[in-house]
Amino acid sequence: MNISAVLSLVAIGAVLGAILGIANKYLIVEEDNRIGEVMEMLPGANCGGCGYPGCSGFANALVEGEAKKVSACVVSNQETREKISTYLNETPGPDGQPVKVTI
């Protein structure tokens, strides 16, 4: 077995590993924790009645400000809608701003 070939592969692996480590540090995407919180509050029916592909799509739309009315979730009750609305109107996101939604 040729030692120089093995050493070359080890060196290439080390360089690529270092590049991946640096990229992981600087290119990380921060997820908005409010999406998961709203998902937990939604009923989980994934019916699509809100016009979005399941509860995760609706939670994402609410948090990003794309959907403005929590009542679009036809499966949820009034208490759940109020809870989600209060949470989003009072909890700031990564940008420091809350999302303004209505019931």
Side-chain angles (χ1 to χ4, degrees):
M1 185 191 282
N2 192 349
I3 296 294
S4 63
V6 171
L7 292 176
S8 296
L9 287 176
V10 168
I12 290 171
V15 170
L16 291 177
I19 290 171
L20 285 174
I22 293 169
N24 184 45
K25 183 176 180 181
Y26 290 104
L27 301 177
I28 192 165
V29 177
E30 292 184 26
E31 183 178 329
D32 193 338
N33 294 333
R34 296 176 299 171
I35 296 172
E37 293 291 326
V38 172
M39 269 286 298
E40 288 181 19
M41 291 182 220
L42 288 169
N46 290 321
C47 63
C50 58
Y52 293 93
C55 292
S56 63
F58 186 54
N60 193 43
L62 283 171
V63 170
E64 291 187 4
E66 186 179 312
K68 296 291 185 187
K69 289 187 171 238
V70 181
S71 61
C73 178
V74 295
V75 180
S76 64
N77 58 26
Q78 186 65 20
E79 181 183 334
T80 300
R81 293 173 187 160
E82 289 173 1
K83 186 177 175 183
I84 293 170
S85 176
T86 301
Y87 175 76
L88 289 176
N89 287 326
E90 295 177 357
T91 307
D95 62 352
Q97 299 297 318
V99 178
K100 298 299 178 194
V101 296
T102 61
I103 298 173

